[in-house]
Amino acid sequence: MSGEPRPLVGVVGGSRSDFPVLEQATAILTMLGVSNELRVVSAHRSPDLLYRYAETAAGRGIRVIVAGAGGAAHLPGMLAAKTQLPVIGVPMPTKALDGIDSLLSIAQMPRGIPVATVAIGNAENAGLLAAAILALGDAALAGRLADYRADLTRMVLEDPSNAEPV
């Protein structure tokens, strides 16, 4: 076994074409020190793999799943149906409807099978939400997340447009 830590967050997309968006989640998670993995798991082209991924995720150490999907956007909901882990859906921008179809598909899950949903194409917020969920039981991660948010505030306050007039 390698020295790599077991991933705590599984980040999955229906195809490799989703990776440029989903890499926003892996980048913020990595920056916060949260181990993660990025995989292709298609709801329609590899349903058996989807089921196996969802059913084995917790046993492999995964604690939160981030799933990006476009169009009919079944991936987040199908994962949520097959695991009790929290699933965060990332609606992918689409050519036909600019991702509105994906957003509505992910957000309109039936009662009893929740999927948290972030803005279209905003995998960074999905990564931050996954980190916040994990931080509930990890004080060090909570501290890193607080530092990250303090940096965001500092950037706004230090913006030259906010300088006091002389």
Side-chain angles (χ1 to χ4, degrees), residues 16-143:
R16 233 174 220 284
S17 65
D18 295 335
F19 281 17
V21 171
L22 294 175
E23 286 168 348
Q24 298 170 20
T26 62
I28 196 75
L29 288 164
T30 300
M31 188 201 76
L32 291 168
V34 177
S35 57
N36 60 85
E37 65 184 15
L38 179 59
R39 299 222 182 144
V40 172
V41 178
S42 174
H44 299 110
R45 292 180 293 273
S46 61
D48 293 337
L49 174 61
L50 181 151
Y51 288 175
R52 191 166 51 255
Y53 185 88
E55 291 168 346
T56 64
R60 294 187 305 106
I62 299 291
R63 295 294 167 252
V64 181
I65 297 173
V66 172
H74 288 113
L75 182 59
M78 290 303 297
L79 287 165
K82 295 296 287 180
T83 184
Q84 292 183 30
L85 295 175
V87 176
I88 303 166
V90 179
M92 291 293 169
T94 57
K95 290 180 181 163
L97 298 170
D98 297 324
I100 298 294
D101 49 343
S102 311
L103 173 64
L104 294 175
S105 182
I106 296 171
Q108 292 297 323
M109 286 299 298
R111 189 177 338 217
I113 309 295
V115 172
T117 309
V118 297
I120 298 166
N122 197 337
E124 183 174 340
N125 270 359
L128 288 167
L129 180 55
I133 291 167
L134 294 171
L136 292 170
D138 182 337
L141 177 55

